[in-house]
Each structure stands twice: as structure tokens, then as C-alpha cells.
Amino acid sequence: MARASRIPRCLVGHCVCTCPLTRRGLLAGSTGVVTTAAVARFEPAAAGQSRTETFAGTFTGVGTPDWHYLPVEVPRGVREIEVSYAYEKTDTGLGFSANVIDIGIFDPSGHDLGDASGFRGWSGGARDRFRISRRRATPGYLAGPITPGTWHVVLGPFAVVPPGVDYEVTVTLHFGRQPKRFRPKPAPRRVKGSGPGWYRGDCHLHTVHSDGRHTQRSLLALAREAGLDFIGSTEHNTSSAQLTWGRHVPDDFLVIPGEEVTTRAGHWLALGLPAGTWIDWRFRPEDDELATFTERVRGVGALAVTAHPFSPGPGSTWGFDPTYADMDLVEIWNGPWTLDDQTAVAAWHAMLVAGRYVPVMGNSDLTTRARPSGCRRPSSARRRCRPTRWCAGSAAGTRGSPSPARSTWRSRRAWATGPPAAGRPSAPVPPTSSTYASPSAAHRGASPRSSGRWPRWRARSPTRTAPPR
């Protein structure tokens, strides 16, 4: 668990919270260990002045909590909250880091499990500071009123190993008149002039609003360059990007709002959410809360998609029901083809043989400056390709309209292939609602261009046990 650390008091204008930590449960219905620090209280100040308090502590790697809350009592007259933190993560040399501390914040409206009204942002381990005001906020965070009351900075220690990791969190309140309010501008709900047809896209992408390196504008430019018709916006554990896509998206392109719900026991996509909808991630399999949140997603007309179920990274492997009973789809191809994708396809095949059908998809999960759902610009003769999602129907003609999107995937009018080639497929034969389909090129990771033709549907009865070929 976390323990308090007494550090020297800072100079004029800065205070240090050195009170011992207290432990108490904060999340209703959560079995994960949760701790909280003593409340940091700020004295009021005149406009133009600032007040700072600092929390310090250690996560030892023994009894480490899932979530550690730092309560901050915010007085009236604050125009902006600024938070920064420092710790030292450990590079394991295995493609992931240990001793990671994620960060986010809730306002006085609430911070219990599922309490969306109080959520004000999350950046995980992607940033070491953020700011929130009524008009602006750091990507990943929500602009809005700085309400007086108890705010909670939340730390999420992850993969902590002994002897542990020290942290220091600095909270600064800037006083003054609050600026004009933030005006959201989500992506338009419709693409004018579009209708039934085949559309290609990538439903798992990240920008600077979580751990991506692309801005929304640069990601859209690359998506257009890659020949996509639509993308899914799926930032980790935050809804901030959903509120600003309308500033960047062109009239002939579809952005599907969503979220990658990044739990400690697997990730899943909430795809097709109404703009501004936030889905909580602070639960584990033993909490028996997954169905609660996937039903909430379906209740607003969106889809729940298991993401990269066999990814070997800590927290990325699917630790919930392996039959995906609470999910709508499974992402069996994630990024460049690797062994975990092959394992996912083999597991899906086994489910088909056993007589259970679950729709699947493939996405790029792009976070770097590589190209989405296509081939990276090659540094050698070898090309590494990312999957492309093809959909049939009118779903791509309606932005944010969840019902067509749900019917498209659930009725099997979709497939995953390699990178898109120029033009749309020449009238592939879609399966009926009573069949499943498998394009042969997709299973070999080949693109329609490299195979010399567009994949043809191979329709089979769902009662048959033969695998797709």
C-alpha cells in the first residue's frame, strides 16, 4: 500500500501535505484495494495569485492499491487547476515498463464507480502534467467550471515491484475570474450524399488525447491518405476527443466516437458512443461489473468489443469471461500480424467448431506516427501491414448513429483485410443474416491488391462446424 513520506517544507507560496495516509474504500461495489491521502486544503487568494500543495509517498509493491486518491479542497475564486507529478518508471526490456503510475482527476460531483458526472479527465502514464479551466483543458481532460469543493486526483499504480516507486504530486490553484465556457464541437452525425455501399475504416485509433502521437488533424490526414472512409476514436479511459472532432473532420469523412476501456484485466472498445459519453474502467473480473458497463454501452446504441484478447502486455490480456458472453465483437487482429493475433484467430476457430459464433474485427490500434490501417512507410523492402475494416450497408452514411453500425457488424456484413488498395471492392457477395463469412485473403494477411482481386465472401451455415478457409 502507499505510505506517506515527510519531505522538507517548500519556500513561500508552497505548502506540503505531510499527513499520514488513511485507508478506506471509495468505490461502491469495487473489490480492488483503494487508498486515500489526507485532504489538502487551500487558503483563498486574490485574483492573479496561486497556491500550491504537494503530496509525496511510495508504492512499495506489497499490497499496492489499484487506485490511490489525493483529495484537494478547492475554495471559491479558482480559475484554473494545474497538476504535475514525478516518479521513475522501470524499463523491463520486454516491451513494457514496471513501476508505472497513471493519473486522472474527478471534480466534486462524484468519483464512485460509474459516476460519470464527476469525471474530468485521465491521461494514464502518457503525461506528467495537465491543466483544467472553464474554457480549456489539456488533451485527455474536460474543460468546465472549477467548482468549489473536494476534487480527487487519482493515481493508478501499475506493475509495481519491490522495493517500489516514490512519487510526488504537485497541485497548483490559479485564482481569478473564470473565462468563457468551453463549447464542444463533436463530429457531425451524417456524411451528406452517402448511402448503402462498401466502406473501409479503422475502429481502434489513438491521438494525443491519450497515448497517441498524432493530433486529431494529423490522424485524419493519414487516414485519408490510407484510403479510409471512417475511423473510430477510442482514447484510453477518456471522452475528451469526442467533444472536438468537429473542428477537424471534413464533410465527407466519418468519425465514430468511442473509448478504449482500459481495465487492469483486459481492454475493450466502447464503439459508437454518443459524443461526450464516458465509460468507467475501475473494476476487475472479481467485481462482476463488466456486464453492467457493456449493457450501459448497448443502452446508448453502441458496441462492446474485446480488444487484443491475447496481447502479452501486463493488463492487456483478456481476463474476463473467455467466451465473450457480455461482448458484441472480438478484435482478433490488432496491428501488424503477430503471434497473439494468430492465437486469437485459433481461439475464435475453436469457438466456431464448438458451435458458438462471435463477430470479429481487425484494427491498427495506432498510437505512433505510422499510417493507420495500411502499410507503414517501409524502411526496407519488407512491409508490415495493419488490418483494414470493411463494412457493408448504410452505417458509414450516418455519423454517430449507432443502430446501423450495430446491425452492420451483428449481421456479418463486414470483414478485415490487409491495407486498402485504390477504389472500393467490385460488388463482393455479402452473406445473409443467417451465415458467417470469411474472406480468404484476410486469413493470409494479404491485401486485395496483392492477391490480384477483392476477397469474395464464403458463406457457411452457422450450424456447421467447418472453420472459415
Side-chain angles (χ1 to χ4, degrees):
M1 63 182 292
R3 66 169 182 263
S5 173
R6 292 189 177 275
I7 57 179
R9 191 171 296 277
C10 300
L11 299 178
V12 177
H14 290 68
C15 299
V16 178
C17 179
T18 59
C19 302
L21 304 185
T22 60
R23 177 179 175 185
R24 60 186 175 91
L26 291 179
L27 302 185
S30 175
T31 62
V33 178
V34 179
T35 58
T36 181
V39 178
R41 303 184 186 279
F42 287 77
E43 294 296 328
Q49 294 185 345
S50 301
R51 293 283 187 269
T52 297
E53 297 232 7
T54 300
F55 296 86
T58 301
F59 297 115
T60 65
V62 178
T64 300
D66 281 344
W67 316 110
H68 180 60
Y69 289 86
L70 309 177
V72 176
E73 192 68 30
V74 176
R76 295 184 181 277
V78 175
R79 65 173 175 81
E80 184 180 67
I81 296 177
E82 179 182 2
V83 178
S84 62
Y85 77 129
Y87 71 97
E88 193 157 339
K89 66 180 68 173
T90 301
D91 185 359
T92 64
L94 301 174
F96 62 90
S97 297
N99 292 335
V100 175
I101 303 177
D102 297 335
I103 196 167
I105 194 169
F106 290 82
D107 71 20
S109 301
H111 63 285
D112 287 342
L113 183 65
D115 196 342
S117 61
F119 176 74
R120 294 299 293 269
W122 177 261
S123 51
R127 298 181 180 276
D128 62 4
R129 62 189 64 241
F130 62 86
R131 303 171 77 107
I132 298 176
S133 71
R134 190 183 184 203
R135 186 178 182 84
R136 295 183 177 86
T138 300
Y141 293 82
L142 306 182
I146 307 301
T147 310
T150 304
W151 291 58
H152 288 85
V153 176
V154 54
L155 301 181
F158 185 63
V160 177
V161 296
V165 55
D166 298 327
Y167 67 85
E168 184 173 302
V169 180
T170 301
V171 181
T172 301
L173 304 185
H174 301 283
F175 289 79
R177 184 177 179 180
Q178 295 196 28
K180 294 181 180 179
R181 69 182 182 88
F182 166 76
R183 295 184 180 277
K185 190 174 183 181
R189 296 180 62 85
R190 289 188 176 275
V191 178
K192 295 181 179 179
S194 62
W198 286 98
Y199 298 91
R200 57 195 171 197
D202 189 337
C203 294
H204 189 170
L205 294 167
H206 301 279
T207 70
V208 294
H209 283 262
S210 58
D211 62 346
R213 295 184 182 180
H214 283 288
T215 64
Q216 290 163 288
R217 186 180 297 275
S218 67
L219 182 63
L220 283 170
L222 286 181
R224 296 295 294 268
E225 181 185 346
L228 303 186
D229 301 301
F230 66 91
I231 61 172
S233 172
T234 54
E235 309 295 356
H236 291 282
N237 298 341
T238 184
S239 56
S240 62
Q242 303 172 18
L243 303 175
T244 56
W245 275 109
R247 300 175 182 176
H248 313 288
V249 65
D251 292 338
D252 61 345
F253 198 87
L254 176 70
V255 174
I256 303 173
E259 176 185 336
E260 182 168 6
V261 184
T262 309
T263 79
R264 295 302 196 225
H267 302 184
W268 56 280
L269 309 178
L271 192 60
L273 296 170
T277 303
W278 173 72
I279 304 299
D280 208 333
W281 71 95
R282 296 169 296 167
F283 57 90
R284 288 181 174 271
E286 55 267 30
D287 300 329
D288 199 25
E289 293 285 356
L290 177 63
T292 299
F293 291 102
T294 57
E295 283 300 320
R296 185 171 299 181
V297 165
R298 283 187 283 272
V300 295
L303 293 162
V305 184
T306 300
H308 46 70
F310 293 94
S311 175
S316 297
T317 306
W318 188 249
F320 295 89
D321 183 356
T323 68
Y324 312 115
D326 296 316
M327 311 305 293
D328 296 304
L329 296 95
V330 181
E331 182 186 69
I332 60 170
W333 186 356
N334 177 275
W337 185 266
T338 56
L339 180 60
D340 55 285
D341 300 303
Q342 184 173 333
T343 304
V345 170
W348 184 58
H349 174 200
M351 293 177 66
L352 295 176
V353 170
R356 173 168 167 73
Y357 174 80
V358 178
V360 297
M361 64 164 50
N363 299 299
S364 74
D365 196 2
L366 185 72
T367 59
T368 67
R369 292 197 179 275
R371 300 168 72 194
S373 279
C375 287
R376 299 177 178 176
R377 296 188 182 278
S379 56
S380 65
R382 182 169 68 100
R383 284 189 164 192
R384 300 186 67 194
C385 297
R386 296 172 180 270
T388 301
R389 185 67 181 176
W390 289 89
C391 298
S394 59
T398 306
R399 297 182 188 274
S401 179
S403 297
R406 284 182 58 82
S407 62
T408 294
W409 272 291
R410 295 305 295 271
S411 63
R412 293 103 162 140
R413 296 193 302 271
W415 73 59
T417 72
R424 291 190 173 90
S426 54
V429 181
T432 67
S433 59
S434 62
T435 63
Y436 71 81
S438 167
S440 58
H443 285 275
R444 295 193 298 270
S447 70
R449 175 176 291 174
S450 65
S451 64
R453 60 181 175 81
W454 292 103
R456 303 286 293 185
W457 289 106
R458 293 184 176 180
R460 298 183 183 275
S461 167
T463 60
R464 293 184 57 178
T465 59
R469 293 182 290 182

